Amino acid sequence: MERRIFHLSQKTKKQFKTSRLQFTEEERADPTLEKPIAKSEKAADRLEKAQANIPKKTVKTKERTFDAETGKAKVRLHFEEVDKPKPSSKLTHGIKKAPQRAALSAVHKKISEDEQDNVGLEAAHSTEKAGEFTVRRVQSAYHSHKLKPYRNLAKDEKKSIQADVNVLYAKSLRDNPQSASNPISRFQQKRAIKKQYIATRYGKGAKTAQTTATTAKSAVKKGADTVSKAAAAITKNPKVLFIILALLLLIVVISSAVSSCSVMFQGAISNVVSTSYTSENEELISANDDYTSLETALQAQIDSIERDYPDYDEYRYDLATIGHDPHQLASYLTALKQYFTASEVQGELQRVFEKQYKLTLTETVEVRYRTETRTDSWTDEDGTSHSDTYTVEVPYDYYILNVKLTNNSINTVANSLLTAEQLQMYNVYLQTKGNKPLLFGGGSIDGSPSTDLSGVDFVNGERQGNQNTVDIALSQVGNVGGQPYWSWYGFNSRVEWCACYVSWVLNQAGYGEPKFAACQSQGVPYFSSNGRWASRGYGDIAPGDVIFFDWEGDGHSDHVGIVIGTDGSRVYTVEGNSGDACKVRDYDLNSSVIMGYGLMN
């Protein structure tokens, strides 16, 4: 007996539907239809090609079959290729990625203040122009290549619909030449055809080209009748025409106003997005930490040179400071990659590192002389022994290993590696710090005056601390801009300098370590690895301890200062880069912004 299997149901591929109008030989031979038909078929070809370019994905589907002989149903799994859904729009993506704490008004306010004070007017103007360019560039950078096939599909679909409507309209005019009596009538008829065509093309059920043509023909007749009636009504009452024109003008004005508001809103969002780091915070921090690891390894290599090259008489060091501005690195990577993860930029980090640092070891051999004492012995003719002592200058080779390290800074590297367009973006990100100024331990934006210490009764703990450190730190209160702290550290231009300030104070107080320019990747690890870390709530902090802050509550230190002391309920600090100045601050001992302490003794 033949086994019969019936398909109970089968899922079809979820694809974009394309359709073609079918034409008879008579229609193709008609001179009035030849050109519209050619355009229609050309548009259909382009639409099918655009559909084929839509990204695909493979999905698993079920197919149920029924075996008539056994009376049992079977389910089979198979894979189908379907269109990938369209990604979110660039504006939606931009809003999602825009930092919540960044305010566009703050950026413009700062620029306005600079212009009013006539400080750096030319630079501000240049930045503004670069920002306008970046708005266009950054918005389209990350999602543009993903959205392009869908944009092309929508554009070609629109052209195909218009070409088909033109064919149907031409056919209707051929069959009903009297219907094209005036421009209003022709407009109304074509609009009716388009409405009917779209309803047929995308409506429920399959429609043939003949059905489409028939409905278009009826739409023309109906449109012509409607226009005739409307024209008759206007003829009887001319005021109706003026009312219609007034309503149309009102609609145009309202649409223009709504469009302007939409453009203004999109422009505001675009400005924030275009000046912000587009990658996730954790990826930016991780990439910066990876770069710091390369610098740490370089420092370890330099520290072990005398062990690795032991056969030299002298070692001469000419070393630039090892360190980088995290915002320069983040701005470079964002200008180059737009959106990235730390794992994706490992090769680029290595490339930048090799451009920034150059370590050279060269051997020098000098001929030097040392004084040697020598003795000559002889016996005279009488048999008496004699000796004579004298000195001579003996030449020898003196081996010197010259160790030289140069640091070109990431800013210099960016100027050599980025294109002109990318360099404009880089400068904008660097100017705004990606609208994330505190991401890498950038200090505090608090611009309020220093805390008044008069009347504060400090409570001493069991640890003595170092009052000299506090006195040096307090002597710097009022400094604005962080000079000389960041230049002492080795930076050629201003960086976020809270950690440089703390390192400078400790150095002035006689401490060789720690010396760090980044809170999370350098400062916290130093104290943790040396067993000198205490978390928030530690009860025996002492003057001169280092206090670390976490503004975001994400477990990463954003800021650092020097402990002055505590009155039992609050801790008092001296901080650099607090509103770009050295200031005295105070916090509740259990404040959530305190991450912990680096204990100095």
Side-chain angles (χ1 to χ4, degrees), residues 458-459 470 541-544 562-567 570-573:
F458 290 104
V459 177
V470 175
I541 54 177
I562 299 288
V563 172
I564 298 174
T566 175
D567 61 3
R570 304 188 69 79
V571 58
Y572 295 82
T573 65

Side-chain angles (χ1 to χ4, degrees), residues 79-98:
F79 294 91
E80 290 185 350
E81 190 178 68
V82 299
D83 292 345
K84 285 186 177 181
K86 181 180 178 181
S88 60
S89 70
K90 289 178 285 185
L91 179 59
T92 301
H93 179 73
I95 294 173
K96 180 180 178 182
K97 297 298 181 183

Side-chain angles (χ1 to χ4, degrees), residues 82-189:
V82 299
D83 292 345
K84 285 186 177 181
K86 181 180 178 181
S88 60
S89 70
K90 289 178 285 185
L91 179 59
T92 301
H93 179 73
I95 294 173
K96 180 180 178 182
K97 297 298 181 183
Q100 298 301 313
R101 67 178 185 269
L104 178 64
S105 58
V107 176
H108 285 293
K109 181 180 179 182
K110 178 61 178 175
I111 296 174
S112 298
E113 290 175 354
D114 290 341
E115 290 178 348
Q116 291 170 4
D117 294 337
N118 198 26
V119 177
L121 183 60
E122 184 178 354
H125 184 238
S126 176
T127 300
E128 181 179 0
K129 290 191 295 183
E132 291 174 358
F133 162 80
T134 310
V135 167
R136 299 188 298 271
R137 184 69 175 85
V138 174
Q139 278 187 311
S140 62
Y142 178 55
H143 270 3
S144 182
H145 69 285
K146 292 185 178 181
L147 291 171
K148 185 176 180 180
Y150 300 93
R151 290 197 305 268
N152 290 341
L153 179 62
K155 180 177 65 176
D156 291 334
E157 180 190 11
K158 183 178 180 180
K159 290 182 178 179
S160 177
I161 291 174
Q162 188 61 49
D164 288 351
V165 169
N166 289 340
V167 172
L168 296 174
Y169 180 61
K171 289 175 62 178
S172 298
L173 288 182
R174 183 193 64 176
D175 299 336
N176 302 276
Q178 72 282 357
S179 61
S181 57
N182 57 71
I184 297 178
S185 176
R186 289 194 295 271
F187 171 78
Q188 187 70 21
Q189 292 161 17

Side-chain angles (χ1 to χ4, degrees), residues 18 47 68 106 114 222 254 285 333 351 368 377 387 431 547:
T18 60
L47 180 59
D114 290 341
K222 182 178 179 181
I254 293 175
I285 293 171
L333 294 174
R351 181 167 80 126
R368 296 193 177 188
S377 300
S387 64
Q431 181 75 15
I547 181 171

Side-chain angles (χ1 to χ4, degrees), residues 127-420:
T127 300
E128 181 179 0
K129 290 191 295 183
E132 291 174 358
F133 162 80
T134 310
V135 167
R136 299 188 298 271
R137 184 69 175 85
V138 174
Q139 278 187 311
S140 62
Y142 178 55
H143 270 3
S144 182
H145 69 285
K146 292 185 178 181
L147 291 171
K148 185 176 180 180
Y150 300 93
R151 290 197 305 268
N152 290 341
L153 179 62
K155 180 177 65 176
D156 291 334
E157 180 190 11
K158 183 178 180 180
K159 290 182 178 179
S160 177
I161 291 174
Q162 188 61 49
D164 288 351
V165 169
N166 289 340
V167 172
L168 296 174
Y169 180 61
K171 289 175 62 178
S172 298
L173 288 182
R174 183 193 64 176
D175 299 336
N176 302 276
Q178 72 282 357
S179 61
S181 57
N182 57 71
I184 297 178
S185 176
R186 289 194 295 271
F187 171 78
Q188 187 70 21
Q189 292 161 17
K190 190 174 251 188
R191 182 180 178 186
I193 290 175
K194 185 174 183 180
K195 181 178 180 181
Q196 187 64 51
Y197 170 77
I198 291 177
T200 303
R201 178 166 175 162
Y202 298 107
K204 294 182 179 180
K207 301 292 184 180
T208 64
Q210 183 63 38
T211 302
T212 304
T214 301
T215 53
K217 181 177 180 179
S218 64
V220 169
K221 185 177 184 303
K222 182 178 179 181
D225 293 342
T226 302
V227 172
S228 298
K229 293 177 182 179
I234 293 174
T235 302
K236 292 180 180 180
N237 189 0
K239 293 182 179 180
V240 175
L241 178 60
F242 292 104
I243 294 174
I244 292 173
L245 292 176
L247 289 174
L248 288 174
L249 181 61
L250 180 61
I251 290 172
V252 170
V253 171
I254 293 175
S255 299
S256 177
V258 172
S259 176
S260 297
C261 291
S262 175
V263 170
M264 289 173 61
F265 171 74
Q266 293 186 29
I269 294 298
S270 296
N271 275 311
V272 174
V273 173
S274 67
T275 60
S276 301
Y277 299 141
T278 49
S279 301
E280 302 293 345
N281 287 357
E282 54 268 25
E283 299 298 340
L284 291 163
I285 293 171
S286 180
N288 185 68
D289 290 346
D290 291 339
Y291 199 81
T292 301
S293 297
L294 294 175
E295 293 174 325
T296 302
L298 176 61
Q299 184 63 61
Q301 180 184 355
I302 293 173
D303 293 341
S304 61
I305 280 178
E306 295 182 22
R307 181 197 65 196
D308 297 337
Y309 301 88
D311 299 326
Y312 286 88
D313 300 300
E314 183 181 344
Y315 299 86
R316 294 178 181 174
Y317 294 92
D318 180 10
L319 304 177
T321 301
I322 296 177
H324 70 282
D325 183 344
H327 285 287
Q328 288 184 359
L329 180 62
S331 297
Y332 171 84
L333 294 174
T334 305
L336 184 69
K337 301 286 189 179
Q338 281 79 57
Y339 183 87
F340 63 87
T341 63
S343 60
E344 293 172 345
V345 295
Q346 293 302 307
E348 192 60 36
L349 293 177
Q350 187 65 45
R351 181 167 80 126
V352 173
F353 182 80
E354 291 173 357
K355 289 281 187 179
Q356 180 181 1
Y357 297 103
K358 184 177 181 181
L359 178 64
T360 56
L361 306 179
T362 56
E363 180 183 277
T364 301
V365 180
E366 296 180 356
V367 177
R368 296 193 177 188
Y369 294 86
R370 59 173 173 263
T371 302
E372 292 184 0
T373 301
R374 296 181 180 180
T375 302
D376 284 344
S377 300
W378 73 92
T379 303
D380 59 20
E381 57 186 12
D382 297 329
T384 304
S385 296
H386 301 274
S387 64
D388 185 16
T389 302
Y390 62 95
T391 61
V392 296
E393 297 295 316
V394 180
Y396 68 96
D397 291 336
Y398 187 81
Y399 291 90
I400 304 169
L401 184 62
N402 300 282
V403 183
K404 182 178 180 62
L405 176 69
T406 57
N407 182 344
N408 292 318
S409 85
I410 295 177
N411 194 52
T412 303
V413 175
N415 279 274
S416 66
L417 295 181
L418 296 179
T419 65

